[in-house]
C-alpha cells in the first residue's frame, strides 16, 4: 500500500466508493493487523475493487496505473524480459512506444528493478502501477505454454515410448520400475501440465480415470465435470506413480485406497492438492481436490446473501452462545460459509477453536485441530478437549453422530457459540435429523439459534450475458410473472463456451424464535416446522434461487438443475 490509510480512505469516500462506516471498519482492521490491512480489508469485504485503490495509489506516486485485464499483451514483447526476472520483480511489459517500454509493476519505486530492466532491454522504462495478481496471471499465460498430452507424446522418444508400454503391460510392477517411469521427463511434464491447467481454469477437482484402452482427465469447474484430455493407456501407471510420489504415498501398493497431499505454490499462491487413490477394474483412479488457501478468505457480503438475510445472519453470529448450523449436500459451500463467519468473528478479544476432518484451509488466529481416529482423536473427543481451552467460539467440521451432537449441545448451553455443518436437505429437516441422532427435543430447542441451508449455483458469464424471454410454461413453473425478461450466457472464450463463470450461494435462513422453539420441543415434524418458518417470513432455497434468476445473477436452467431436479 503506497497511500496512507487516512488519505486513501478520504479519497475513496470523496469518490463515493465507500461509506464512513466502512472506512472505520477498515481502520480498525489496520490497527489490529498492521500495515497493509486497510486496503486488503476493503477488497476482501467487497467494498471496493482493487483497481480503484491502485488508481489512487498511482495518483499518490505520480505515475500511471494500468488495468491489465483491459489490454492485449504482445507475447514477443513481453518475453524481452526473461521469466525469472519478471517473477523476481513482479513486472511485465504492457506496451512499447518508440524507445520506451511501459512496464507494469507491483512496486514502481523499486530502483533495482528499473535499473536491471533498463540494462537488460536497452529501453527507457516508464513504470506503471498494476495489480500483483494480474501481473502473475499474465506472466503465467505468456511464459508458460501448457503442453497437451498429444504434444508430450509427439516428443517422446522411442526408448521412452517402449518403457511406458512395458510398464503398463507388465503384470507385476516393481517399485524401481514405477519410480523410474515416474521420473521420466515426459511424465513429469504431463503431470505438471495437468496441475497448471487445472489451476488456471479454476478447477476444484482433477479426476484421472483409467479405462481398457485410454486414460481420461476431467476437471470439475464450477461444480460440473468437463473432459479435458484423453491419452493412451500406456501412460497410466507412470502418471499415477508420479502423483503418488509427490503425495508421499506407497507406489507399490495398488490394492487399497490411499490418501495424501501435495503442497504447491502456483503463481505465487499457496495451493494444497488432496490426493485420493481408488483401485478399479482398469487400475487406480486418482482424484485430487485443489484447495486454494487464499480463496476461502471471503467476506460474508460476497457469498450471495440477500440484504435481509445477511442482516439477520450477522445478528445471529454475534450471539454469545447457541448453535448455528450450515446444512446441505457435499460441495454446497458449507465450510466456506463457516470460515467466512470465523473470519468475521476473528478479533483479538475472542478465542476461536475448530475441530475438522480434514483441515481444508489454515486460518490465522484460529486454533485448528484435525480428527485422527487412529490416534483416538474423534470429533466428540476433540470437542470435549477444546472446551477445556476456554473457547468463545467453537467450530465443528461435521456433526455425524449422537455423541458429537450431544457434546455440541452441552457446549452451546454452557456459554459457547458453536458453528457446525450437518448433512440435511433443508433447514427444517436439520431439526428432525438431530432427533434421529438421538438428541432430546428440549435440548435441540434450547440450543439451536439458527440454521442455514445452502446450495451453489453457477453465475451467468458477464462477458456473454444476454437477455431473453423464456417460454410461459417455464416461467409459470417457477412462479415468475409472464413476459418477464431473464438472462443467460451465450458462451465465449472467458467461460469455456458454457455461459457460466463462477458460483454463488443460494440460501434458506431459519432463525429459531420462541414459536419455533415450542414446535421443536414437542418433536414436531419437518413439514410443520417448515410451515411455521414460512409464516414467520423465511425464504426457501427455491425462492432465493428464483430471486437470483430475476436479478440476472444466474439462469433459469441452472436453478432448475440445482434446486428443482433433486
Amino acid at each position: 500500500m503506497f497511500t496512507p490509510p487516512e488519505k486513501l480512505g478520504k479519497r475513496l469516500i470523496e469518490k463515493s466508493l465507500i461509506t464512513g462506516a466502512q472506512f472505520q471498519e477498515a481502520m480498525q482492521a489496520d490497527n489490529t493487523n498492521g500495515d497493509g490491512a486497510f486496503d486488503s480489508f476493503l477488497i476482501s469485504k467487497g467494498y471496493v475493487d482493487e483497481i480503484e485503490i491502485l488508481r489512487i495509489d498511482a495518483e499518490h506516486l505520480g505515475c500511471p496505473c494500468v488495468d491489465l485485464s483491459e489490454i492485449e499483451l504482445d507475447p514477443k514483447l513481453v518475453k524481452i524480459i526473461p521469466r525469472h526476472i519478471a517473477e523476481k520483480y513482479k513486472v511485465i511489459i504492457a506496451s512499447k512506444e518508440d524507445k520506451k517500454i511501459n512496464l507494469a509493476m507491483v512496486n514502481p519505486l523499486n530502483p533495482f528493478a528499473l535499473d536491471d530492466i533498463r540494462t537488460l532491454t536497452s529501453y527507457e522504462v516508464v513504470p506503471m502501477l498494476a495489480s500483483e495478481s494480474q501481473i502473475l496471471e499474465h506472466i503465467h499465460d505468456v511464459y508458460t505454454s501448457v503442453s497437451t498430452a498429444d504434444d508430450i507424446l509427439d516428443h517422446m522418444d522411442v526408448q521412452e515410448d517402449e518403457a511406458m508400454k512395458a510398464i503398463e503391460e507388465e503384470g507385476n510392477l516393481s517399485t524401481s520400475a514405477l519410480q523410474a517411469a515416474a521420473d521420466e521427463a515426459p511424465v513429469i511434464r504431463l503431470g505438471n501440465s495437468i496441475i497448471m491447467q487445472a489451476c488456471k481454469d479454476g478447477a476444484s477437482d482433477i479426476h484421472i480415470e483409467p479405462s481398457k484402452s485410454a486414460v481420461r482427465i476431467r476437471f470439475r469447474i464450477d461444480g460440473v465435470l468437463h473432459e479435458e484430455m484423453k491419452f493412451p493407456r500406456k501412460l497410466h501407471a507412470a502418471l499415477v506413480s508420479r502423483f503418488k510420489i509427490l503425495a508421499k504415498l506407497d507406489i507399490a501398493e495398488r490394492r487399497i485406497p490411499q490418501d495424501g497431499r501435495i503442497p504447491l505454490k502456483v503463481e505465487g499462491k499457496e495451493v494444497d492438492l488432496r490426493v485420493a487413490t481408488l483401485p478399479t477394474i482398469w487400475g487406480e483412479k486418482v482424484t485430487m481436490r485443489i484447495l486454494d488457501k487464499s480463496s476461502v478468505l471471503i467476506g460474508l457480503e460476497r457469498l450471495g446473501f440477500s440484504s435481509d438475510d445477511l442482516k439477520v445472519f450477522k445478528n445471529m453470529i454475534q450471539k454469545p452462545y447457541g448453535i448455528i448450523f450450515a446444512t446441505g449436500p457435499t460441495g454446497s459451500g458449507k465450510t466456506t460459509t463457516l470460515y467466512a463467519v470465523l473470519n468475521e468473528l476473528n478479533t483479538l478479544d475472542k478465542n476461536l477453536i475448530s475441530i475438522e476432518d480434514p483441515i481444508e484451509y489454515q486460518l490465522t488466529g484460529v486454533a485448528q485441530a484435525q480428527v485422527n481416529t487412529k490416534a483416538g482423536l474423534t470429533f466428540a473427543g476433540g470437542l470435549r478437549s477444546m472446551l477445556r481451552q476456554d473457547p468463545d467460539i467453537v467450530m465443528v467440521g461435521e456433526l455425524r453422530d449422537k455423541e458429537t451432537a450431544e457434546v455440541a449441545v452441552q457446549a452451546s448451553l454452557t456459554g459457547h457459540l458453536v458453528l457446525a455443518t450437518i448433512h440435511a436437505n433443508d433447514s427444517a429437516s436439520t431439526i428432525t435429523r438431530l432427533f434421529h441422532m438421538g438428541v432430546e427435543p428440549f435440548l435441540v430447542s434450547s440450543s439451536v439459534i439458527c440454521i442455514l441451508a445452502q446450495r451453489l449455483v453457477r453465475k451467468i458469464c458477464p462477458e456473454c450475458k444476454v437477455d431473453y424471454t423464456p417460454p410461459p410454461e417455464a416461467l409459470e413453473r417457477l412462479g415468475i410473472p409472464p413476459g418477464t425478461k431473464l438472462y443467460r450466457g451465450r458462451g465465449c472464450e472467458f467461460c469455456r463456451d458454457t455461459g457460466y463463470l463462477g458460483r454463488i450461494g443460494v440460501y434458506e435462513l431459519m432463525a429459531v424464535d420462541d414459536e419455533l422453539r415450542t414446535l421443536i420441543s414437542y418433536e414436531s415434524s419437518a413439514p410443520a416446522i417448515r410451515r411455521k418458518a414460512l409464516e414467520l417470513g423465511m425464504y426457501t432455497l427455491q425462492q432465493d434461487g428464483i430471486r437470483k434468476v430475476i436479478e440476472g445473477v444466474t439462469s433459469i436452467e441452472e436453478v432448475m438443475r440445482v434446486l428443482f431436479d433433486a
Side-chain angles (χ1 to χ4, degrees):
M1 181 175 68
F2 297 100
T3 312
E6 295 85 356
K7 188 172 181 179
L8 175 59
K10 183 181 177 183
R11 291 289 290 124
L12 290 170
I13 291 171
E14 286 172 359
K15 292 180 171 220
S16 299
L17 294 171
I18 64 170
T19 65
Q22 290 167 343
F23 169 72
Q24 292 301 328
E25 280 185 71
M27 285 300 295
Q28 186 177 354
D30 191 67
N31 293 332
T32 303
N33 300 318
D35 188 41
F38 181 84
D39 51 350
S40 60
F41 176 85
L42 291 172
I43 294 165
S44 69
K45 288 289 186 181
Y47 293 157
V48 66
D49 290 334
E50 181 184 20
I51 191 65
E52 299 294 345
I53 291 177
L54 288 173
R55 284 175 181 142
I56 293 170
D57 281 339
E59 284 177 24
H60 180 73
L61 295 172
C63 73
C65 175
V66 60
D67 184 351
L68 293 178
S69 67
E70 294 182 349
I71 63 173
E72 188 171 341
L73 301 181
D74 179 351
K76 289 182 181 177
L77 180 63
V78 167
K79 288 181 180 178
I80 292 173
I81 300 174
R83 178 169 184 159
H84 71 280
I85 297 291
E87 289 179 333
K88 176 182 177 181
Y89 293 125
K90 296 178 182 173
V91 300
I92 195 164
I93 298 175
S95 59
K96 174 177 170 289
E97 300 168 9
D98 298 325
K99 295 283 185 178
K100 296 180 182 178
I101 54 171
N102 294 314
L103 188 68
M105 309 179 69
V106 169
N107 181 8
L109 301 180
N110 186 335
F112 304 106
L114 295 170
D115 288 345
D116 282 359
I117 290 165
R118 278 193 203 102
T119 304
L120 188 70
T121 63
S122 301
Y123 285 107
E124 185 181 340
V125 178
V126 179
M128 305 178 80
L129 184 63
S131 157
E132 180 176 352
S133 60
Q134 287 186 352
I135 289 174
L136 293 175
E137 181 182 348
H138 281 83
I139 286 174
H140 171 261
D141 288 344
V142 174
Y143 289 92
T144 304
S145 176
V146 179
S147 302
T148 65
D150 288 338
D151 294 334
I152 291 168
L153 290 170
D154 288 343
H155 290 89
M156 189 182 292
D157 63 33
V158 175
Q159 285 185 331
E160 290 169 338
D161 186 54
E162 291 301 319
M164 296 301 164
K165 279 182 185 173
I167 288 168
E168 188 57 43
E169 290 169 2
E170 188 180 339
N172 212 354
L173 303 181
S174 67
T175 304
S176 59
L178 287 168
Q179 176 84 49
D183 290 339
E184 289 285 354
V187 176
I188 293 173
R189 288 201 304 274
L190 181 58
N192 291 346
S193 72
I194 290 169
I195 293 172
M196 295 295 285
Q197 189 67 48
C199 291
K200 180 182 175 184
D201 290 348
S204 61
D205 301 87
I206 302 169
H207 292 255
I208 300 171
E209 302 166 325
S211 63
K212 185 177 181 179
S213 58
V215 181
R216 178 174 67 174
I217 306 294
R218 292 196 292 171
F219 296 164
R220 188 177 294 280
I221 301 171
D222 292 337
V224 178
L225 281 170
H226 302 269
E227 184 174 307
E228 293 298 314
M229 59 183 88
K230 191 179 279 188
F231 48 83
R233 165 92 194 180
K234 63 188 176 188
L235 284 174
H236 174 254
L239 183 62
V240 169
S241 296
R242 175 66 186 164
F243 287 125
K244 288 171 77 172
I245 288 168
L246 291 173
K248 295 182 171 55
L249 302 179
D250 184 354
I251 60 173
E253 180 56 78
R254 289 168 288 125
R255 299 163 299 172
I256 60 173
Q258 296 186 68
D259 296 297
R261 60 184 286 267
I262 305 173
L264 295 170
K265 207 160 192 177
V266 180
E267 297 304 310
K269 293 190 293 187
E270 290 186 9
V271 173
D272 249 0
L273 295 186
R274 294 292 164 87
V275 182
T277 68
L278 178 71
T280 71
I281 188 172
W282 299 118
E284 287 180 286
K285 180 185 187 300
V286 179
T287 302
M288 295 185 282
R289 168 64 56 88
I290 302 172
L291 301 173
D292 178 356
K293 294 182 180 180
S294 64
S295 67
V296 76
L297 299 177
I298 185 171
L300 286 171
E301 291 82 1
R302 297 173 62 193
L303 291 177
F305 285 102
S306 68
S307 56
D308 290 342
D309 280 350
L310 180 61
K311 186 176 180 181
V312 172
F313 191 58
K314 279 195 164 188
N315 182 49
M316 287 294 163
I317 65 175
Q318 296 297 333
K319 301 280 186 186
Y321 55 85
I323 301 181
I324 294 175
F325 281 111
T327 187
T330 301
S332 58
K334 302 185 297 295
T335 303
T336 298
T337 298
L338 292 192
Y339 277 168
V341 173
L342 288 177
N343 204 33
E344 184 92 3
L345 300 176
N346 191 3
T347 56
L348 290 175
D349 61 335
K350 289 189 176 70
N351 181 18
L352 285 73
I353 306 181
S354 74
I355 177 85
E356 305 169 54
D357 184 24
I359 296 171
E360 293 193 14
Y361 301 94
Q362 295 171 15
L363 299 176
T364 304
V366 180
Q368 295 171 273
Q370 182 160 315
V371 168
N372 187 342
T373 49
K374 288 182 181 177
L377 179 58
T378 62
F379 271 115
L383 184 53
R384 284 195 184 93
S385 299
M386 285 159 56
L387 295 177
R388 294 192 285 274
Q389 295 291 323
D390 184 33
D392 296 292
I393 299 158
V394 173
M395 176 179 139
V396 185
E398 187 180 341
L399 236 61
R400 296 176 179 171
D401 51 49
K402 179 183 178 182
E403 186 182 9
T404 310
E406 287 181 336
V407 177
V409 166
Q410 291 302 324
S412 71
L413 294 175
T414 52
H416 305 88
L417 181 65
V418 179
L419 311 172
T421 72
I422 189 170
H423 286 288
N425 288 330
D426 55 34
S427 52
S429 59
T430 300
I431 299 296
T432 52
R433 175 84 199 280
L434 292 169
F435 294 161
H436 294 150
M437 281 184 178
V439 183
E440 293 293 338
F442 75 92
L443 290 175
V444 176
S445 67
S446 304
S447 58
V448 178
I449 59 173
C450 173
I451 300 171
L452 182 71
Q454 65 181 86
R455 301 288 190 276
L456 291 175
V457 295
R458 291 179 293 172
K459 296 190 292 184
I460 298 170
C461 173
E463 299 293 332
C464 60
K465 184 176 179 179
V466 293
D467 60 71
Y468 76 108
T469 303
E473 57 271 16
L475 294 174
E476 184 181 354
R477 183 177 177 190
L478 294 179
I480 300 173
T484 301
K485 194 173 285 186
L486 301 182
Y487 299 86
R488 62 185 171 196
R490 286 177 306 198
C492 64
E493 60 178 315
F494 291 97
C495 61
R496 301 162 52 90
D497 291 319
T498 62
Y500 299 99
L501 193 62
R503 290 192 290 176
I504 194 168
V506 176
Y507 300 99
E508 177 180 289
L509 180 64
M510 187 172 83
V512 181
D513 67 355
D514 290 340
E515 291 185 66
L516 284 171
R517 288 188 200 289
T518 302
L519 282 178
I520 294 167
S521 63
Y522 285 114
E523 203 170 348
S524 299
S525 66
I529 294 170
R530 184 181 182 81
R531 281 194 299 272
K532 176 53 71 175
L534 289 171
E535 286 176 22
L536 296 170
M538 180 184 79
Y539 266 79
T540 66
L541 284 164
Q542 289 81 2
Q543 288 171 329
D544 192 40
I546 292 165
R547 182 161 51 186
K548 287 180 169 65
V549 168
I550 295 170
E551 290 170 354
V553 176
T554 189
S555 70
I556 194 170
E557 294 83 5
E558 181 68 0
V559 165
M560 297 283 281
R561 179 183 73 86
V562 175
L563 300 172
F564 286 85
D565 291 349

